[in-house]
Amino acid sequence: MSEDDLCVARVPIFQGLTRQEQLHVADFVRPVCVHKGDIVCSPGQSVSRLLVMHSGQLKVSHTAANGQEQILRTVTDGDVVGERAFLTGHSPVDLVVALEDSRMCVFDHADLSALLRDYPDISQRMLRTLSDRLSSVERLLGAVTSSDVNARVAAYLLDLPGSMRAGVPTVRLPMAKQDIAAYLGTTPETLSRRLAALSTSGIIELHGRRDVSILDIDALEHVTTPR
């Protein structure tokens, strides 16, 4: 991997390091490529690793007591998987599957422990990442526990990673609507209707099957508040 394309330069927990320090961290990286549908990590796996996403997309889920899959989140460029297991010392409890062909940089936890001794700021950034993720989960949980599907959909859109297109924040739905609907506790038909309603109201704009421009962030935030 070239110096201009470092995984460690793409993820927040390493961005506080100097370029030279990032190059040192990169010496511990093991590049891994997976194909769509491949299992990247499974519950109880004996070897704990930190996965830094370089490109592609992963789905993090676990199996409920009734045997149904519960999707926890999707992971894309610059995200990390496995920091919770590292910080707690517990074995992985989630199933991680590639939603598309993906490329990642992998750190064995033994190597990561050595790096944290040299760069303690990394652990602080890990905790900040977990705190931010918890805030997102709490917002979505507040919406999901209400009977307002609009609130769930709005909270989900707000928590998706996005980019600016012509000055407008735009997100891409990371999964098929069937999977998103299951994640939000609704049906694909209801999800489509709620997205269409938000579009009609001028809060969002739909582009094709996956892209969504957020035209009024304040209004979308307001929708997340159960009424």
Side-chain angles (χ1 to χ4, degrees), residues 31 33 41 44 49 64 67-68 70 84 106 110-111 126 172 183 212:
C33 295
C41 184
R49 305 173 298 171
Q68 290 188 330
Q70 293 183 333
R84 182 176 63 182
V106 177
D111 291 334
M126 279 187 180
R172 185 171 180 81
Y183 177 64
V212 181

Side-chain angles (χ1 to χ4, degrees), residues 60-117:
V60 183
S61 66
H62 74 260
T63 303
N66 61 5
Q68 290 188 330
E69 179 189 37
Q70 293 183 333
I71 300 172
L72 303 178
R73 62 188 178 104
T74 55
V75 181
T76 188
D77 302 8
D79 288 338
V80 295
V81 178
E83 73 278 25
R84 182 176 63 182
F86 173 77
L87 291 170
T88 63
H90 297 156
S91 298
V93 296
D94 301 326
L95 176 66
V96 182
V97 177
L99 289 175
E100 56 188 61
D101 291 351
S102 302
R103 182 183 177 194
M104 66 197 73
C105 300
V106 177
F107 293 86
D108 289 334
H109 278 186
D111 291 334
L112 191 58
S113 296
L115 287 171
L116 291 185
R117 288 194 293 270

Side-chain angles (χ1 to χ4, degrees), residues 12-62:
I13 64 173
F14 297 120
Q15 285 175 354
L17 304 178
T18 67
R19 183 64 173 179
Q20 196 59 41
E21 289 170 338
Q22 288 178 346
L23 289 172
H24 177 238
V25 171
D27 288 339
F28 294 86
V29 164
R30 179 165 55 87
V32 172
C33 295
V34 295
H35 298 292
K36 180 179 180 180
D38 285 352
I39 295 177
V40 179
C41 184
S42 57
Q45 187 171 296
S46 58
V47 178
S48 294
R49 305 173 298 171
L50 182 78
L51 312 177
V52 179
M53 286 299 295
H54 186 270
S55 62
Q57 192 170 72
L58 308 178
K59 175 180 66 175
V60 183
S61 66
H62 74 260

Side-chain angles (χ1 to χ4, degrees), residues 114-130:
L115 287 171
L116 291 185
R117 288 194 293 270
D118 294 332
Y119 309 114
D121 184 56
I122 296 175
S123 60
Q124 296 176 12
R125 289 174 178 269
M126 279 187 180
L127 291 171
R128 194 174 306 137
T129 298
L130 287 173

Side-chain angles (χ1 to χ4, degrees), residues 134-149:
L134 180 60
S135 296
S136 297
V137 170
E138 287 175 342
R139 173 164 60 180
L140 184 59
L141 181 60
V144 168
T145 54
S146 77
S147 59
D148 191 342
V149 179

